[in-house]
């Protein structure tokens, strides 16, 4: 038998930063004491007593064949202004190290299934800031946002895989500031979105490529909350415009405008 892991240019699950998923029942059975202990054979055997794995097998290796193997992409975004840098463990594996506030990771490939996610202050393995669960579906592109809070510390945002015309830019707005008021969104002094609320993800809208003026106004008073006078959008790309920050902080609100994976990722 040919070991595909030794073939140059052939990607397998062993090359992935994200661990393998478990079943819905399996993720619920993960020990609360093992947030930073990656699943090994012994754990899998306990969860699936009918499956006997060879003693010399330490990991299931799955080849990634474009157009055939079902997988997704996921990245993490730190949007909690109350926390410093964080480490993120997925099914016990450390996949993110020292992620700073307002920063994104690169997109990582992941297989469909269930995952437990634990967020810790960078460099620690005790007293997690939050523990959450996610179910990834194949051929999707996700952004998992750390937003803080005890009961809903993550928000999963799904990028829309759509055809992108070269002469058009696509934008949507995502409000992740917990103490910001409802807001109206203006592009070049034209109202494009009304009543944007916390955790809301707007629909996509088509915009002419080039430089634009972005204003966020208080929904009730009309006062300008935040302005970006030189928002640059390129044709054939999709963007999410994230509103983050603390209204009571000296820095206040900010907008983060990353390029979405749907603009360049391939399956």
């Amino acid at each position: 038998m040919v070991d595909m892991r030794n073939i140059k240019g052939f990607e397998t699950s062993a090359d992935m930063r994200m661990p393998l998923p478990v079943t819905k029942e399996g993720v619920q059975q993960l020990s609360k004491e093992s947030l930073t202990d990656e699943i090994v054979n012994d754990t899998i055997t306990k969860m699936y007593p009918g499956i006997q794995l060879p003693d010399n097998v330490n990991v299931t290796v799955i080849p990634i064949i474009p157009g055939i193997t079902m997988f997704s992409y996921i990245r993490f975004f730190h949007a909690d202004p109350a926390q410093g840098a964080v480490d993120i463990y997925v099914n016990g594996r450390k996949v993110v190290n020292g992620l700073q506030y307002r920063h994104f990771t690169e997109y990582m490939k992941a297989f469909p299934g269930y995952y437990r996610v634990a967020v810790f202050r960078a460099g620690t393995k005790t007293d997690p800031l939050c523990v959450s669960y996610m179910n990834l579906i194949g051929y999707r592109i996700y952004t998992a946002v750390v937003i803080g809070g005890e009961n809903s510390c993550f928000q999963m945002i799904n990028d829309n895989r759509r055809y992108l015309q070269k002469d058009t830019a696509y934008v949507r707005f995502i409000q992740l500031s917990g103490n910001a008021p409802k807001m109206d969104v203006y592009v070049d002094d034209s109202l494009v979105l009304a009543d944007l609320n916390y955790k809301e993800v707007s629909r996509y809208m088509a915009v002419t490529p080039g430089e634009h003026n972005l204003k966020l106004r208080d929904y009730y008073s009309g006062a300008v909350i935040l302005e970006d006078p030189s928002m640059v959008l390129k044709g054939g790309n999709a963007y999410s415009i994230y509103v983050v920050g603390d209204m009571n902080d000296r820095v206040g609100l900010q907008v983060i405008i990353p390029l979405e994976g749907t603009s360049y990722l391939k399956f």
Side-chain angles (χ1 to χ4, degrees):
M1 178 180 293
V2 178
D3 189 345
M4 292 182 177
R5 289 171 292 179
N6 296 327
I7 300 178
K8 186 176 180 180
F10 197 100
E11 188 177 12
T12 73
S13 58
D15 304 308
M16 295 167 58
R17 194 189 316 176
M18 287 285 288
L20 293 175
V22 296
T23 64
K24 183 177 182 180
E25 295 74 18
V27 78
Q28 294 171 346
Q29 295 175 23
L30 294 178
S31 169
K32 294 182 179 179
E33 288 74 35
S34 65
L35 293 175
T36 59
D37 295 327
E38 187 170 353
I39 298 172
V40 294
N41 284 348
D42 182 58
T43 305
I44 295 174
T45 302
K46 289 178 180 177
M47 290 193 307
Y48 306 103
I51 297 177
Q52 297 297 322
L53 298 175
D55 293 336
N56 63 343
V57 175
N58 294 318
V59 63
T60 301
V61 178
I62 302 173
I64 302 174
I65 305 171
I68 297 177
T69 307
M70 183 178 292
F71 64 92
S72 294
Y73 288 97
I74 185 170
R75 66 179 174 183
F76 293 88
F77 174 38
H78 185 351
D80 182 1
Q83 300 299 336
V86 298
D87 295 339
I88 301 177
Y89 287 78
V90 178
N91 287 357
R93 179 186 294 183
K94 188 178 186 180
V95 300
V96 179
N97 182 49
L99 183 63
Q100 299 283 345
Y101 170 56
R102 295 188 298 176
H103 285 214
F104 292 80
T105 67
E106 296 179 351
Y107 283 101
M108 297 173 274
K109 290 179 180 177
F111 290 113
Y114 289 81
Y115 298 84
R116 181 178 63 183
V117 185
V119 181
F120 295 86
R121 292 179 178 86
T124 69
K125 289 186 176 183
T126 59
D127 300 322
L129 298 173
C130 71
V131 179
S132 188
Y133 299 87
M134 60 186 183
N135 175 26
L136 303 187
I137 300 172
Y139 301 128
R140 300 272 181 99
I141 301 173
Y142 295 95
T143 298
V145 186
V146 181
I147 57 174
E150 296 181 359
N151 299 321
S152 57
C153 59
F154 266 95
Q155 180 166 348
M156 296 295 294
I157 297 172
N158 184 19
D159 291 2
N160 186 353
R161 292 181 61 201
R162 59 186 298 163
Y163 173 73
L164 303 175
Q165 299 183 39
K166 297 299 183 182
D167 59 350
T168 303
Y170 302 84
V171 298
R172 64 176 174 177
F173 298 87
I174 303 171
Q175 210 289 74
L176 298 178
S177 173
N179 62 2
K182 292 182 179 181
M183 57 188 70
D184 292 339
V185 179
Y186 286 77
V187 175
D188 299 330
D189 293 320
S190 295
L191 177 66
V192 297
L193 181 65
D195 193 16
L196 182 66
N197 209 352
Y198 180 49
K199 294 185 180 180
E200 185 176 350
V201 180
S202 81
R203 61 177 176 81
Y204 288 86
M205 55 191 72
V207 180
T208 303
E211 186 172 293
H212 298 274
N213 178 279
L214 170 67
K215 286 190 181 78
L216 305 178
R217 294 182 177 272
D218 187 299
Y219 172 74
Y220 297 102
S221 69
V224 176
I225 302 171
L226 181 65
E227 180 177 7
D228 184 344
S230 56
M231 177 179 67
V232 178
L233 305 175
K234 295 183 178 180
N237 288 333
Y239 303 85
S240 287
I241 300 178
Y242 291 87
V243 182
V244 301
D246 184 343
M247 287 286 291
N248 300 323
D249 184 75
R250 176 179 59 84
V251 178
L253 298 184
Q254 306 97 45
V255 289
I256 312 294
I257 312 177
L259 186 65
E260 284 191 358
T262 189
S263 303
Y264 58 90
L265 293 176
K266 304 296 183 183
F267 287 93

